[in-house]
Amino acid sequence: MAVLTYREALNRAMTEEMEKDPNIFLMGEEVGHYEGAYKVSQGMLAKFGEKRVIDTPISENGFAGVGIGAAMVGLRPIIEFMTWNFSLVAIDQIINSAAKMNYMSAGQFPIPIVFRGAGGAGGRLAAQHSQSFESWYAHIPGLKVLAPYTPADAYGLLKTSIRDNNPTIFIESEVLYGSKGEVPEGEFSIPMGKADIKREGTQLTIVSWSRALMYVLPAAEKLAKEGISVEVLDLRSIRPLDEEAILTSVRKTNRALIVEEGWNVAGFGAQVAYLIQKDAFDYLDSPVERITQEDVPMPYAANLERSSLPSEEKIIQKVRSMIK
């Protein structure tokens, strides 16, 4: 096992795929000469040259559209948004072109494109740069949505995304880029639509994904010291969703708590809660609960930002109340 940072795992996945397939290219703001806003593309310009690692103007709508057009004629673009907050400028291209072109052309135009970049809150980046958009994009038929937590998952899922013939939304938490984890030395991929049990438990299931697991896993450790056994299920793949993994876990533990970084109203956790009450209602010993970001634009002040987000303390208190 190699120990890699999250950004190194992403870099390795892209580099390996680009070495094998000359039709793959990376395009976005500062991906080349600056080596990526978060240094994910470090060394790739020197290796592949300016025709395959392409710096763009600050025009998300433009380079997203160029990428979709390139995918229509057989290339396999990786489009980096400096942050998913900036994808709003390109949302018409993503939703009305990338997501629908294959369907509207009766299969004549597959769109093998990956849109990737930093999502969620960073640290004191305030309201316009701290938003979680997985529920937005998961709402759209034709898009696949991934949000990995560990370096190994980021590597394996990005390789799968690059090889897929459908547009993929690949959301990388901004605060995870420097996190480290074991990644197998050999090449591997992880299928979409397969959740992962990050911790086995018997009394309650916490369903989560991406950065929120930073709070969930330590909370589960502390709860274990109190004699409360929590199972932690990392979705990894938002769409397609591993419904069976969720239901199997809840049917075992009889309780479910969903923890997400995004807002409560119409958040993706609401879809998970609907699934549980629909197909595992008779197994529940307490109502399905959710912990989300507070229903406010992200504050700039560090103390208010912390208060707005999920936390270990909020999770521990909620689990205690559900186990009583």
Side-chain angles (χ1 to χ4, degrees):
M1 289 280 190
V3 176
L4 300 179
T5 64
Y6 195 97
R7 63 167 58 86
E8 288 169 340
L10 295 167
N11 181 290
R12 177 178 144 189
M14 289 191 292
T15 298
E16 289 176 357
E17 292 303 300
M18 289 176 69
E19 286 173 339
K20 290 188 297 185
D21 188 345
N23 288 320
I24 300 170
F25 67 92
L26 173 66
M27 181 165 59
E29 296 158 356
E30 299 184 349
V31 299
H33 291 279
Y34 191 69
E35 300 193 309
Y38 297 96
K39 297 297 180 274
V40 173
S41 55
Q42 194 163 25
M44 293 180 66
L45 176 63
K47 189 174 187 66
F48 297 107
E50 292 187 343
K51 289 187 176 180
R52 297 187 65 198
V53 180
I54 305 167
D55 282 321
T56 68
I58 302 173
S59 179
E60 285 79 10
N61 189 54
F63 64 76
V66 168
I68 294 165
M72 290 176 67
V73 296
L75 299 180
R76 306 185 75 85
I78 304 168
I79 304 299
E80 178 177 312
F81 294 125
M82 191 180 296
T83 160
W84 275 99
N85 298 277
F86 300 162
S87 74
L88 298 188
V89 182
I91 204 165
D92 179 62
Q93 292 284 6
I94 297 169
I95 290 176
N96 280 328
S97 294
K100 296 178 174 64
M101 193 60 65
N102 192 34
Y103 176 81
M104 293 175 67
S105 68
Q108 295 180 84
F109 291 108
I111 308 293
I113 188 170
V114 178
F115 298 100
R116 50 156 295 270
R124 300 188 69 191
L125 296 178
Q128 293 177 323
H129 294 74
S130 302
Q131 301 168 99
S132 299
F133 289 124
E134 55 266 32
S135 63
W136 288 36
Y137 288 111
H139 184 65
I140 308 302
L143 296 178
K144 298 183 176 183
V145 183
L146 305 176
Y149 173 62
T150 67
D153 289 346
Y155 170 88
L157 285 169
L158 184 54
K159 289 182 80 75
T160 301
S161 301
I162 294 169
R163 296 170 185 177
D164 199 273
N165 285 329
N166 299 281
T168 300
I169 305 299
F170 198 93
I171 301 174
E172 307 151 8
S173 172
E174 195 167 317
V175 299
L176 293 179
Y177 282 126
S179 64
K180 295 182 179 181
E182 289 187 339
V183 181
E185 296 277 4
E187 188 176 337
F188 68 94
S189 62
I190 295 172
M192 298 183 193
K194 295 294 289 183
D196 185 48
I197 296 175
K198 291 292 193 276
R199 180 187 177 90
E200 297 273 359
T202 59
Q203 290 179 278
L204 181 142
T205 296
I206 298 182
V207 179
S208 192
W209 58 92
S210 191
R211 185 251 186 102
L213 285 154
M214 290 179 63
Y215 313 115
V216 170
L217 289 167
E221 291 284 346
K222 291 178 180 177
L223 286 162
K225 294 176 182 177
E226 300 179 15
I228 299 174
S229 177
V230 172
E231 181 149 295
V232 177
L233 184 68
D234 177 7
L235 292 184
R236 304 190 296 191
S237 177
I238 306 301
R239 185 164 185 165
L241 177 65
D242 192 347
E243 296 185 358
E244 191 54 43
I246 297 168
L247 296 172
T248 298
S249 181
V250 172
R251 287 166 181 159
K252 177 176 75 172
T253 67
N254 310 119
R255 297 175 178 85
L257 171 63
I258 303 155
V259 182
E260 60 188 302
E261 188 179 349
W263 290 302
N264 180 69
V265 176
F268 192 74
Q271 178 67 23
V272 177
Y274 164 75
L275 169 71
I276 293 169
Q277 66 81 30
K278 179 172 72 76
D279 291 337
F281 180 81
D282 290 342
Y283 292 84
L284 292 173
D285 289 339
S286 68
V288 178
E289 297 281 2
R290 295 172 63 200
I291 293 176
T292 66
Q293 184 189 150
E294 297 299 327
D295 195 23
V296 296
M298 180 62 74
Y300 173 72
N303 61 327
L304 296 179
E305 182 181 69
R306 286 193 299 272
S307 296
S308 173
L309 288 166
S311 67
E312 290 181 40
E313 293 74 19
K314 291 177 184 179
I315 295 165
I316 289 169
Q317 290 175 10
K318 180 63 73 175
V319 170
R320 286 171 179 162
S321 71
M322 294 173 69
I323 293 294
K324 286 180 180 178

